[in-house]
Amino acid sequence: MSPGRLLSMVSPEEAAAAVCDRLAAVGSERVAHAQLPGRVLAGPATADRDSPPADVSAMDGYALRAADAPPPGGDAWLPVAGEVRIGEAPPPLPTGAALRVFTGGAVPAGADAVVPRELLEEEAEPGGGRGGRIRWLAGSPAPVVGRHIRRRGENARAGDVVLPVGVEATPAVVATLAAFGAAPPVRRRVRVAIRVTGDELHAADAAVLPPLGIRDGNGPVMAAFVAGLPWAEVVSIERVPDDRDATTLSIASALEASDAVLLSGGVSMGDHDHVPAACVAAGCTPVYHRLAMRPGKPNFGAAGPAGQAVLGLPGNPVSVLAGLRVLTLPALRRLAGFAAPQPPRLRVAVAPDDAKTLPLWHYRPARIGFDGRAHPLAHRGSGDVAGPAAMHGFVEIPPGEAAEARPRRWFA
Ligand SMILES: Nc1nc2c(c(=O)[nH]1)N[C@H]1C(S)=C(S)[C@@H](COP(=O)(O)OP(=O)(O)OC[C@H]3O[C@@H](n4cnc5c(N)ncnc54)[C@H](O)[C@@H]3O)O[C@H]1N2
Ligand code: MOO
């Protein structure tokens, strides 16, 4: 986007992309191997050796030359000359014999097939030695050259890039890092400051409230959202009164020590909605204000003076939930150094519903039923937190469309 052009009534996707365009990944650091899970790779991981490191057996059984095997179901036995110990160099395979091998054990030189033991009748060596003999059960297939052997380097060759930059160290990624002893640099955690505006707000654990006071739900919700992102951390959380100067000061202090500032409330048309002006006073550049979405039309997004993401979410609690998932997550992922700011796009079928259409991008709290479809949850507007409490995520319904017409994007 051109600098200074304020987007208004665009789609949430366009708004999120416009903020992401102004952000860069945070710096990187090295952490101990045990601290890697959940972090985002800032450097590629390469294979330090071939995987597997040798031709290995894929089965518990016997390594042999396929041509040495007697016919299945016959009386002839094949001698077992010994055993390959896992993790050790195998003895050579004598002609006309088999070697016992276990899954992952190296295939001895001379063997061209592995036969799983359940296809065989096994006879132990008298006296408890590691030898013995085998013959093929009736109905077992004859050995096939190459079967049940994993070839050296078939997963990866030494020097191959096995993980690119910008992926999160999920359990599967951790498995790969461990297999190759790789510990690439990772992005430091994204530092998130939370600011909750509203004169009516009191602590979430307040036992007694003034008659028209409200417990702050948005602060805990925003903190819980960040707590669910292993590559981000909350660095400060503050409640701010509906006062322009106090809001400016609080945003300025948030910007000093964070990569992202998440705010709730104070972004619509009220006389006491100070967040957009306070952000500007604190040196931020507005990117969007008011979006074609429900809930969350008043959403405000800006870039901080040092490239921070600044996201002003409307005060209604369901708007906060939607704004976190739809607008905040892409910005935080961009800061965290993900290759793609948008998480993978998932689509779900939507159960038949009230067929309501809106001229906006509609995010409906929904629950995945036992039928595998998303069932929109009844709720009384974006101030109703009890109704959506059972939600698994939001179904996105584009402007003018009925929810169940086709599979819909799913924001969990
Ligand atoms: N003239 C207009 N008025 C409103 C519009 C509009 O377009 N024109 N939009 C409405 C929509 S949609 C929303 S959403 C709200 C958002 O307004 P704000 O972001 O300025 O939020 P507040 O006015 O501060 O609060 C709205 C509502 O949410 C409650 N709230 C606020 N913070 C918390 C909190 N931390 N925990 C629990 N509840 C909170 C607050 O008490 C209000 O009830 O504006 C509409 N108005
Ligand atoms: O869109 Mo507001 O965000 O309905 O509650």
Side-chain angles (χ1 to χ4, degrees):
M1 68 170 275
S2 57
R5 190 167 78 86
L6 180 70
L7 298 177
S8 196
M9 297 311 284
V10 298
S11 72
E13 180 151 14
E14 199 178 328
V19 167
C20 287
D21 282 351
R22 295 178 165 272
L23 308 176
V26 297
S28 58
E29 62 186 4
R30 291 209 173 257
V31 299
H33 224 267
Q35 307 305 317
L36 285 169
R39 305 298 290 275
V40 179
L41 304 194
T46 50
D48 65 333
R49 64 202 309 234
D50 291 345
S51 166
D55 291 354
V56 296
S57 175
M59 292 286 186
D60 298 323
Y62 294 85
L64 44 82
R65 274 177 210 86
D68 289 345
D75 290 335
W77 294 85
L78 187 70
V80 176
E83 171 176 305
V84 177
R85 294 182 70 89
I86 190 144
E88 292 183 11
L93 178 70
T95 308
L99 282 170
R100 192 175 295 107
V101 68
F102 301 103
T103 306
V107 173
D112 60 16
V114 165
V115 179
R117 66 190 309 177
E118 55 272 35
L119 302 184
L120 305 168
E121 182 182 347
E122 302 170 285
E123 206 173 82
E125 182 180 333
R130 301 308 298 159
R133 56 185 195 162
I134 50 174
R135 66 179 173 188
W136 272 248
L137 295 170
S140 290
V144 176
V145 171
R147 270 314 280 287
H148 304 306
I149 297 176
R150 293 195 184 126
R151 294 294 173 192
R152 173 177 183 160
E154 72 176 25
N155 303 330
R157 292 266 174 208
D160 283 355
V161 171
V162 286
L163 292 167
V165 173
V167 298
E168 181 181 339
T170 58
V173 166
V174 167
T176 305
L177 294 171
F180 297 102
V186 293
R187 297 288 167 192
R188 67 166 173 75
R189 286 203 173 87
V190 175
R191 297 185 291 234
V192 181
I194 293 173
R195 296 293 183 267
V196 185
T197 71
D199 284 340
E200 74 280 31
L201 300 178
H202 296 263
D205 59 1
V208 183
L209 289 175
L212 294 180
I214 300 263
R215 288 192 184 88
D216 166 28
N218 295 342
V221 164
M222 293 190 283
F225 184 79
V226 176
L229 307 173
W231 39 265
E233 61 187 338
V234 174
V235 291
S236 63
I237 180 160
E238 242 176 62
R239 283 204 309 276
V240 190
D242 288 320
D243 173 87
R244 163 90 183 266
D245 292 342
T247 306
T248 304
L249 278 178
S250 183
I251 292 170
S253 85
L255 287 166
E256 264 171 35
S258 69
D259 307 303
V261 183
L262 309 186
L263 298 121
S264 93
V267 291
S268 63
M269 313 287 284
D271 290 347
H272 304 288
D273 291 333
H274 298 297
V275 165
C279 283
V280 171
C284 300
T285 306
V287 175
Y288 62 79
H289 194 187
R290 297 170 63 77
L291 297 176
M293 73 185 282
R294 179 178 297 168
K297 195 170 171 184
N299 262 292
F300 173 76
Q308 300 95 332
V310 179
L311 298 153
L313 307 173
N316 277 321
V318 186
S319 307
V320 170
L321 289 169
L324 285 170
R325 179 57 187 84
V326 176
L327 299 163
T328 308
L329 185 60
L332 296 184
R333 282 172 58 96
R334 175 95 174 112
L335 291 165
F338 277 89
Q342 287 287 355
R345 283 170 182 260
L346 302 175
R347 285 184 186 274
V348 287
V350 182
D353 187 48
D354 57 15
K356 181 162 141 191
T357 66
L358 288 179
L360 299 165
W361 297 83
H362 194 187
Y363 295 88
R364 298 196 59 182
R367 191 173 167 80
I368 304 292
F370 288 110
D371 59 2
R373 295 183 298 181
H375 293 252
L377 293 167
H379 70 110
R380 293 174 192 79
S382 57
D384 173 15
V385 278
M391 70 188 275
H392 290 134
F394 288 98
V395 169
E396 179 190 76
I397 303 147
E401 296 192 21
E404 67 268 29
R406 62 174 66 94
R408 296 298 178 193
R409 271 189 84 183
W410 174 246
F411 294 78

